[in-house]
């Protein structure tokens, strides 16, 4: 297993207030995607702030309500919209794995960490390490929510995988593709016009990448 470098992991804990996050979701039309009244999102965010504050908290819509294919195009970087790679047409079939989500259309994640200190680890190596630390890996939808609310969470050479989402094949085994969010170089099938755009793609379960950490959270609250 690669060595870690303590202190290099970007916690990026200063997120907008939950009420501001709610407004951003509404402005982008996420409430319509999720089939939720705008007032319900505002009320939820206000109540969550009143209960526990909002420092470092991320407002998320349940993946059953707002799938990756609908959320990814809402991302922006240098004016360019996010996209899903062409060889991931089944992106919405990547589901929470060994993760218990709140039984609610909206929930809050706390203690986000991009996992920079795990750069150059494989997903197979990172998952037990996160579990040992009592951390939970992010879902792909949660990673998109994070970049949507805090674009600085995505940096060149400091991007992240979301290994909480996996695709189970008909025979019961897992697809080796593992979701990640990074920045397009505008090469290959991405197209030059997509250079610097936020990109939803995948890497192999057993492969290491020096520029991908493993996004995780301390927990999820309904």
């Amino acid at each position: 297993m690669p060595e870690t470098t303590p202190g290099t992991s970007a916690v990026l804990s200063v997120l907008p207030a939950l009420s501001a996050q709610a407004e951003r979701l509404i402005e982008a039309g996420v409430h319509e995607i999720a089939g939720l009244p705008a007032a319900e999102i505002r009320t939820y965010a206000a109540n969550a702030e009143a209960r526990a504050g909002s420092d470092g908290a991320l407002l998320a819509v349940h993946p059953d309500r707002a799938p990756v294919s609908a959320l990814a195009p809402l991302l922006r970087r240098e004016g360019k919209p996010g996209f899903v790679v062409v060889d991931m047409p089944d992106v919405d079939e990547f589901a929470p794995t060994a993760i218990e989500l709140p039984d609610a259309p909206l929930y809050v994640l706390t203690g986000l960490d991009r996992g920079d200190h795990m750069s150059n680890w494989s997903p197979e190596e990172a998952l037990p390490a996160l579990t040992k630390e009592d951390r939970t890996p992010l879902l792909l939808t949660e990673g998109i929510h994070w970049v949507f609310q805090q674009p600085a969470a995505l940096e060149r050479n400091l991007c992240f995988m979301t290994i909480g989402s996996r695709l189970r094949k008909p025979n019961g085994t897992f697809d080796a593709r593992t979701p990640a969010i990074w920045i397009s170089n505008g090469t290959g099938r991405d197209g030059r016009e997509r250079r610097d755009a936020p990109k939803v793609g995948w890497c192999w379960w057993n492969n290491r990448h020096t520029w991908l950490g493993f996004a995780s959270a301390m927990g999820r609250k309904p």
Side-chain angles (χ1 to χ4, degrees), residues 20 29 31 36 43 45 53 82 100 103 111 114 118 125 134 165 185 203 215:
H31 64 300
L36 296 170
T43 299
E100 185 174 345
D103 185 18
R114 195 168 56 190
M118 290 183 175
E125 294 164 336
D134 291 326
S165 297
N185 285 326
C203 299

Side-chain angles (χ1 to χ4, degrees), residues 32-88:
E32 296 174 345
I33 294 170
L36 296 170
E40 182 174 341
I41 297 180
R42 290 188 176 107
T43 299
Y44 176 86
N47 289 340
E49 279 186 352
R51 287 195 305 269
S54 62
D55 288 346
L58 176 68
L59 177 60
V61 180
H62 196 288
D64 287 348
R65 293 291 193 115
V68 172
S69 60
L71 294 176
L74 303 179
L75 298 179
R76 291 290 184 278
R77 187 176 186 278
E78 298 190 6
K80 297 180 180 180
F83 68 99
V84 179
V85 294
V86 297
D87 53 355
M88 208 175 182

Side-chain angles (χ1 to χ4, degrees), residues 26 30 53 84 94 104 110 120-122 165 176 184 193 211 217:
I26 293 165
V30 175
V84 179
F94 284 73
T110 58
N120 207 32
W121 291 35
S122 71
S165 297
S184 174
E193 70 281 2
W211 43 277

Side-chain angles (χ1 to χ4, degrees), residues 137-174:
L138 291 199
L139 307 181
L140 180 53
T141 51
E142 294 169 349
I144 292 174
H145 276 292
W146 189 9
V147 176
F148 179 73
Q149 298 289 357
Q150 190 176 41
L154 206 62
E155 299 180 64
R156 282 213 172 272
N157 302 315
L158 289 172
C159 300
F160 59 86
M161 302 191 73
T162 53
I163 60 175
S165 297
R166 299 203 65 189
L167 174 63
R168 194 177 291 277
K169 297 189 289 187
N171 65 3
T173 63
F174 284 114

